[in-house]
Amino acid sequence: MAHFARLNADNIVEQVIVVANKDTSDDNGVEDEIYGIAFCKRLFGTDTNWKQTSYNGNFRVRYAGRGYSYDSTLDAFIPPKPFESWVIDTDTINWKAPLEEPTLTQEQIDAGSYYRWDEDAHQVDNTTGWVLETETP
């Protein structure tokens, strides 16, 4: 089975569908994305835009999800931006905070503490953003 993501005009994923292998192959059984795209266009219209996505993340970095964007330069599906100040790291193709997350001490780990990003705090003072939280039992 193959998976194909339907993209809108802004390259945002609107839908992901499963396509049978026979519909992604030529007459000799050789699979190619172009056959799957042609199949999707026959089903949904020639004016639709499709990209194959890998359920296992074997190509295009990760499996596409609704709301993800497709970046043709990186040939990657990118999840929605979590915070306004975050930027895409083109090496890892993941969103990155403008400040490095502090390292937890062993005592903090033992206490169940973690850091969460506070975008409002960062917008007020761009030298802040990570807030230490501790789970309460």
Side-chain angles (χ1 to χ4, degrees):
M1 302 305 267
H3 298 84
F4 284 81
R6 181 169 136 181
L7 308 175
N8 69 15
D10 296 318
N11 280 338
I12 304 298
V13 176
E14 295 181 326
Q15 176 182 23
V16 179
I17 64 168
V18 178
V19 176
N21 289 343
K22 69 179 182 65
D23 296 315
T24 64
S25 305
D26 66 13
D27 293 337
N28 297 317
V30 177
E31 290 186 40
D32 192 305
E33 178 180 31
I34 62 169
Y35 301 115
I37 290 172
F39 175 80
C40 292
K41 286 179 177 264
R42 282 192 305 277
L43 286 179
F44 294 93
T46 57
D47 61 339
T48 56
N49 185 18
W50 296 88
K51 289 289 178 188
Q52 190 169 3
T53 185
S54 170
Y55 188 76
N56 297 317
N58 293 332
F59 54 89
R60 298 203 167 114
V61 181
R62 65 182 53 82
Y63 185 70
R66 189 172 180 174
Y68 282 42
S69 61
Y70 173 71
D71 185 302
S72 60
T73 303
L74 299 172
D75 191 27
F77 287 105
I78 300 172
K81 190 174 188 175
F83 300 101
E84 185 56 35
S85 63
W86 289 34
V87 295
I88 198 74
D89 181 330
T90 56
D91 292 329
T92 64
I93 319 298
N94 287 312
W95 292 106
K96 183 177 176 183
L99 301 172
E100 189 171 328
E101 183 175 351
T103 303
L104 291 168
T105 65
Q106 188 60 51
E107 183 179 334
Q108 291 168 327
I109 293 169
D110 293 345
S113 299
Y114 58 94
Y115 283 100
R116 71 168 175 80
W117 183 255
D118 184 334
E119 183 69 14
D120 292 335
H122 181 73
Q123 293 300 326
V124 171
D125 176 359
N126 68 3
T127 65
T128 65
W130 290 108
V131 176
L132 184 65
E133 301 277 346
T134 302
E135 291 183 18
T136 54

